[in-house]
Amino acid sequence: MTTLDLLRAVARHGVVGGDTGPVSVAPEQVATLLVEATAHKLVGLLDQAVADGVVRCDEESAVRVGDRAVEVAAWSVQLERHLLVVHDLFDDAGLPHRFVKGATVAHRFYSHPGLRMSVDVDALVEPAELDRAVALLVEAGHTRQQRDPYPGFSRRYAKSVSLRSAAGIEVDLHRVIPDGPFGLRASPDVVWTRPAGAVAVGGREVPALDPVAAFVQACVNAVASYDMVSLASLRDVVEVAAAVAGVVPELRSLAAAMGVEACLAEAVAHAVVELGWDAPASVAEIARWPISAREREWLDSYRLRPSDARRALLGMHAVPGLSGKVAYLVSVAALSTGRPARRRAREGHPPRRSGRHPR
Amino acid sequence: MHYARNPAVLWRSTSRGPVLLVPGHDDPERLGGLAAVVWEVLDEPLDLEALCDEAMSLLDHRPDLSPCLDALLAAGVVQLG
């Protein structure tokens, strides 16, 4: 059995319809399995699968998996401590924010948060507040990972801005939920018209996306990101779906307003195939929502990792209105002349993280 | 009197025991032995009698939890209410 097959069995463990019986891991496979489980953010689930006998291995291998799970857990709680620091910073400054992914999914939608591994802190801020949010974090000792190619570029076109704390914790400030063309297609304001959800972290409530928006985010993250798509992101789709199976019309309304119905259809279809998920009927229906030829091209582009020029062209198609397209092309063209400018252009995009290490 | 987890403690369960980050501590630590058992059974507040009953269901004997609870109280891991 290949490492990917093993990981797929781990990702399926506990999914309705997903379990396919025990799988065995040879001692010589464990090192590779741990590296790939880290890349796919599945260490917690792997630890659980070994404890449940779904993944069978010798005692020494089981201890190695458990030790890795302890390391990942230690990193996760340090991330949560930092999440609370970021929350206090923004709250004191009166800056609206919603935490996304990571702890907000682990605590609310998984049977216990140890099953869902995190690598950084993610917060969504309103585009108009992005520069202020960055300034607050820089003032608090964070270092911005990419310079703005020119003032206002990130606020208008970037998916997110990454910063790093002195302790090495990455904080991603998201302007929009989808990367690439889907992120340029619709106004990011839609999600801010919804009331915030809340999640308890360390006995305190912090703002998060409400479950409907969290499901949209989980689906988008699974299929519309230039970062490596992990099996855990598909597992998120399954876990969050349990909370929204009764409100699919509301889901569709939000997805339509955000221009990401195709992402939901693609993500649910992938989760069903990859994880063997027997989705609730109302959710399974989402996989049959139509995907246009252009949306198919966009969805495929996330996997094919196109050049910056190709990404710019796809983005131009997505930006609404002629004046918007012209402004976008002028911005991108201004970045693509000369070597330093090309470097700055690359820096204007979120990094393609390998996701192979939790820190 | 009931024992309860300190809600300000950040934690994760693992097969090797819970990993905790206690407020005021720099680094996370993994609980083992009786401390791990106490943390796991305190997913809701319990008095000493009920706590010992729950712990016994996980162990083969009825443990003397007093020294362990004193240490967890002193460390800010659990609290009395």
Side-chain angles (χ1 to χ4, degrees), chain A residues 11 18 36 39 52-53 56 72 90 95 106 121-122 150 204 211-212 236 242 247 277 286 303 325:
Chain A
E36 293 301 322
D52 292 345
R56 292 178 175 167
V72 165
F90 288 173
L95 193 146
V121 174
D122 294 279
Y150 58 78
R204 302 172 55 194
V212 169
D236 281 353
V247 291
W277 181 31
I286 293 172
R303 284 184 297 104
K325 290 181 196 299

Side-chain angles (χ1 to χ4, degrees), chain A residues 88-170:
Chain A
D88 287 342
L89 204 58
F90 288 173
D91 212 32
D92 290 349
L95 193 146
H97 58 286
R98 310 264 197 276
F99 290 101
V100 297
K101 307 198 277 187
T104 69
V105 174
H107 281 286
R108 288 187 297 173
F109 304 115
Y110 280 74
S111 58
H112 73 80
L115 298 178
R116 208 292 189 178
M117 181 179 154
S118 304
V119 295
D120 55 17
V121 174
D122 294 279
L124 182 70
V125 298
E126 294 179 81
E129 296 280 23
L130 183 63
D131 290 342
R132 188 158 75 100
V134 170
L136 283 167
L137 288 176
V138 169
E139 207 172 294
H142 294 70
T143 305
R144 185 171 176 156
Q145 299 300 291
Q146 315 100 1
R147 288 175 183 275
D148 215 2
Y150 58 78
F153 180 87
S154 296
R155 187 175 64 232
R156 189 161 185 192
Y157 296 119
K159 178 198 179 192
S160 59
V161 173
S162 296
L163 300 101
R164 195 172 291 274
S165 76
I169 292 176
E170 184 171 308

Side-chain angles (χ1 to χ4, degrees), chain A residues 112 170 176 193 238 271 273-274:
Chain A
H112 73 80
E170 184 171 308
V176 291
T193 63
V238 173
V273 171
E274 288 287 324

Side-chain angles (χ1 to χ4, degrees), chain B residues 8-79:
Chain B
V9 171
L10 302 167
W11 63 280
R12 290 286 188 277
S13 287
T14 78
S15 66
R16 307 264 288 143
V19 175
L20 275 57
L21 183 53
V22 181
H25 291 214
D26 285 340
D27 298 315
E29 56 188 319
R30 177 174 65 86
L31 296 184
L34 277 181
V37 172
V38 167
W39 180 265
E40 292 297 347
V41 301
L42 276 182
D43 58 345
E44 59 183 47
L46 296 170
D47 62 28
L48 182 59
E49 193 63 19
L51 186 51
C52 288
D53 288 345
E54 288 290 327
M56 192 169 67
S57 69
L58 297 177
L59 306 166
D60 292 335
H61 60 282
R62 190 176 180 82
D64 175 10
L65 293 179
S66 296
C68 176
L69 284 168
D70 287 346
L72 290 174
L73 281 168
V77 172
V78 299
Q79 57 190 25

Side-chain angles (χ1 to χ4, degrees), chain A residues 61-74:
Chain A
S61 300
V63 169
R64 288 177 69 186
V65 170
D67 285 347
R68 184 73 186 114
V70 168
E71 291 171 4
V72 165

Side-chain angles (χ1 to χ4, degrees), chain A residues 248-261:
Chain A
V248 172
E250 189 181 349
L251 271 178
R252 187 159 200 173
S253 174
L254 176 61
M258 294 174 67
V260 294
E261 286 171 290

